Amino acid sequence: MDRNLSVELVSVTEAAALAAGKWMGRGNKEEADDAATQAMRKMFNSINMNGTVVIGEGEMDEAPMLYIGEHLGTGDGVEVDIAVDPIEGTDMVAAGTENGLAMIAVADKGNLLHAPDMYMEKIAVGPESVGKVDINAPVIDNLKTVAKAKNKNISDLVVAILDRERHENMIQEIHDAGARTKLIQAVDVVAAINTAFENSGVDILLGSGGAPEGVLAAAALKSLGGEFQGKLLPQTREEKIRLNKMGITDFNKVLYMDDIVKGDDAYFVATGVTNGELLKGVHYKGSTGMTHSVVMRTKTGTIRFIEGKHSLKNS
C-alpha cells in the first residue's frame, strides 16, 4: 500500500456510523447493522482499490453484502485484504449504551488472517509488556510479568475480561492472585486497545471472544506497539473442518501478531456510533452529523483521532 489511505478509509467507518447512529436507542439492532453495512459497502466501492473481504458479515449464502470473499473498491489500484465489522456492539447501539463502533482493518493482499467466526482465546498487552506474556502460561505468571514490566504491584493491575460464565474460573484465578477485573459485556476490541493507553486503567486483556474481533484488535495493537496472542477454539466438527481447510491442523497453535497481521503495513480504523471509552458517538443537529474516529497505521506508527462534521442534506 504505497499511498496513504487514511482519509479514504475513515470515510468508510464514518458513513457506517452516521447511518447506524439513526437507530441508536431504538431497540432494533438488525436495522442498525443493516444500515451500517449498506453505507460501508457503498463508500468502500468508491475507493480506488481492489479489495477482498476476508472477515465479514458471514459466508456468501449468509450475508447479502460484505460477505467473506466479496470484492470491494473500483477494482483498480492496490490489492488488499479487508476485515469489516459494520457495528461492533449491535446490542449497545440498539440500547443506546456505550462502546458501539464501526470498524475495519485493511492490509496488503494475503496479510490478514482469514479468521473463521468462532471463539479465540486471547491475551493482549501494551508496549511495556511486549515479549513478557505467554498465552499458554498460568494466569498468575502473566500477571506477575505484566506487574513487573509496568512497575506495579499485582494488586494494582486491572484485567479486562468478558463477563461470561465460561470465564468464572479465570476470574477467580485473577482475584486469588490479588488483581482486579473489569468485566465487559461486549466489544473486547476496545478492551484490547485500552491496554496500550496508560490512562485507560486496563493493563491486560484475558479470556476468549470472537476470532474476527481478534484480528481487528491485533491490527490496532500492531500500530500501537502492543502485543496480541490468540488460539482458535473450535467447538464443533464443522469448525474443525474449516480450520483444516485453512491449513490449521494443530488446534493448540499459538497465533502471534505476525501470524494474524503479516507485513509492516496495515490500517485499523474505527468511528464511534455511541459514546464510549475510546471514541465519542455520533451526534446530530439538524442537517449536520458529528463523528469521532481513530485511524492507526502500522507502517508509520501514526495514531490520528479525527473529528468530522458532515452534511446530511443528501443522505
Side-chain angles (χ1 to χ4, degrees), residues 6 15 61 184 193 262:
S6 297
D61 58 352
I184 53 178
I193 291 172
K262 300 176 184 176

Side-chain angles (χ1 to χ4, degrees), residues 113-183:
L113 178 72
H114 294 214
D117 190 7
M118 64 176 63
Y119 283 122
M120 174 188 275
E121 184 180 350
K122 308 172 186 181
I123 185 169
V125 291
E128 304 98 327
S129 306
V130 170
K132 309 286 175 51
V133 295
D134 179 356
I135 197 169
N136 287 324
V139 168
I140 182 64
D141 290 354
N142 282 316
L143 295 180
K144 286 179 178 178
T145 57
V146 170
K148 183 178 180 180
K150 301 192 77 170
N151 195 27
K152 291 184 174 184
N153 297 317
I154 289 182
S155 60
D156 298 327
L157 296 182
V158 174
V159 183
I161 185 169
L162 283 166
D163 187 9
R164 301 291 188 270
E165 185 177 346
R166 64 181 181 272
H167 290 149
E168 286 181 356
N169 291 338
M170 183 175 286
I171 290 169
Q172 189 60 54
E173 287 183 69
I174 294 166
H175 292 164
D176 289 345
R180 296 170 291 160
T181 52
K182 179 177 182 177
L183 301 181

Side-chain angles (χ1 to χ4, degrees), residues 81-124:
D81 283 349
I82 302 170
V84 303
D85 197 343
I87 299 181
E88 167 71 347
T90 52
D91 289 334
M92 279 79 165
V93 173
T97 53
E98 291 189 340
N99 285 332
L101 298 169
M103 62 178 72
I104 61 175
V106 176
D108 287 310
K109 185 175 177 60
N111 281 4
L112 287 183
L113 178 72
H114 294 214
D117 190 7
M118 64 176 63
Y119 283 122
M120 174 188 275
E121 184 180 350
K122 308 172 186 181
I123 185 169

Side-chain angles (χ1 to χ4, degrees), residues 242-260:
R242 290 187 70 181
L243 290 188
N244 286 332
K245 289 180 179 178
M246 292 172 59
I248 298 176
T249 56
D250 178 7
F251 300 147
N252 289 313
K253 176 180 174 64
V254 176
L255 298 170
Y256 295 98
M257 193 86 84
D258 288 338
D259 296 315
I260 300 170

